[in-house]
Amino acid sequence: GNSVTQMEGPVTLSEEAFLTINCTYTATGYPSLFWYVQYPGEGLQLLLKATKADDKGSNKGFEATYRKETTSFHLEKGSVQVSDSAVYFCALRNGDDKIIFGKGTRLHILP
Amino acid sequence: DAGVTQSPTHLIKTRGQQVTLRCSPKSGHDTVSWYQQALGQGPQFIFQYYEEEERQRGNFPDRFSGHQFPNYSSELNVNALLLGDSALYLCASSLWGAREKLFFGSGTQLSVL
């Protein structure tokens, strides 16, 4: 079946550090891949997406590349800010409208 | 422009009771999906409504049912509550023709005692 595995948190970094949150997936065919972010007290928001192999999604300084050979979609940012503190979810959509989410990674950025 | 609104924000029930959660989609949206997010887990798809019909369903028992009204708002009903139903229930709306662009509400936190 379809599933998403992402690194467990919490992840704690200092401001301006480099961020990587690992995500791998299991799916048949060619799923669409997403990163969602959940800020404290707010609803989930789509951060970025990629719909085919080698596509790079990007938004707000975050990037992730759809790697079919390694079934991965790692989230990266070159210089994190305190305002990036949130829970990040990797997710996929494969042939229907169900979005399958990973368990989430909580990110704390220290000033 | 109001986003997706859910009510109530918090709810406490006891085992065996029934609960109804409500969702108003983002203005202009016609499709509503519901997700359950247990503590420390990612959201899990419950079902999706469009044109007042259930279009897709996840792996949830029949105790979970829903409804969509002509104004596109939606309700999630859960009967015979179990302790394991305690979770954050998220509503997401979209346009049927752009279902990948989901907008989520802040959720209803349900506690079953």
Side-chain angles (χ1 to χ4, degrees), chain A residues 1-5 23-29 31 33 68 70-72 92-94 100:
Chain A
N2 301 313
S3 67
V4 174
T5 303
C23 170
T24 57
Y25 68 89
T26 301
T28 56
L33 302 175
K68 190 157 181 65
T70 54
T71 62
S72 64
L92 70 80
R93 182 172 179 251
N94 192 15
I100 296 167

Side-chain angles (χ1 to χ4, degrees), chain B residues 11-57:
Chain B
L11 202 50
I12 299 174
K13 293 286 188 179
T14 56
R15 280 179 298 175
Q17 285 189 312
Q18 178 264 343
V19 68
T20 298
L21 311 182
R22 296 177 175 82
C23 172
S24 293
K26 181 178 169 62
S27 178
H29 283 183
D30 55 13
T31 304
V32 173
S33 300
W34 287 91
Y35 286 79
Q36 180 195 66
Q37 186 178 7
L39 189 64
Q41 304 293 316
Q44 285 196 294
F45 177 81
I46 304 175
F47 42 52
Q48 175 197 64
Y49 276 84
Y50 171 65
E51 290 189 333
E52 303 178 50
E53 290 187 11
E54 183 182 290
R55 298 293 175 159
Q56 289 192 42
R57 189 178 182 93

Side-chain angles (χ1 to χ4, degrees), chain A residues 32 34 36 38 41-46 49-51 87 89 93 95-104, chain B residues 33 35 37 40-45 48 56-59 88 90 96 99-107:
Chain A
S32 295
F34 309 88
Y36 279 83
Q38 191 171 37
E42 298 184 18
L44 281 165
Q45 301 174 27
L46 177 64
K49 69 175 184 180
T51 57
V87 182
F89 293 90
R93 182 172 179 251
D96 59 24
D97 291 343
K98 301 174 193 174
I99 296 184
I100 296 167
F101 290 87
K103 292 185 177 182
Chain B
S33 300
Y35 286 79
Q37 186 178 7
Q41 304 293 316
Q44 285 196 294
F45 177 81
Q48 175 197 64
Q56 289 192 42
R57 189 178 182 93
N59 294 327
L88 180 67
L90 299 171
W96 179 253
R99 297 191 295 284
E100 210 166 83
K101 290 188 179 180
L102 286 178
F103 289 77
F104 283 83
S106 299

Side-chain angles (χ1 to χ4, degrees), chain A residues 3-56:
Chain A
S3 67
V4 174
T5 303
Q6 59 184 106
M7 65 189 288
E8 292 192 18
V11 173
T12 302
L13 297 172
S14 298
E15 206 166 22
E16 299 183 4
F18 184 86
L19 168 71
T20 300
I21 300 179
N22 290 335
C23 170
T24 57
Y25 68 89
T26 301
T28 56
Y30 301 92
S32 295
L33 302 175
F34 309 88
W35 277 99
Y36 279 83
V37 59
Q38 191 171 37
Y39 297 105
E42 298 184 18
L44 281 165
Q45 301 174 27
L46 177 64
L47 180 60
L48 54 84
K49 69 175 184 180
T51 57
K52 61 183 187 297
D54 299 326
D55 265 2
K56 178 184 284 188

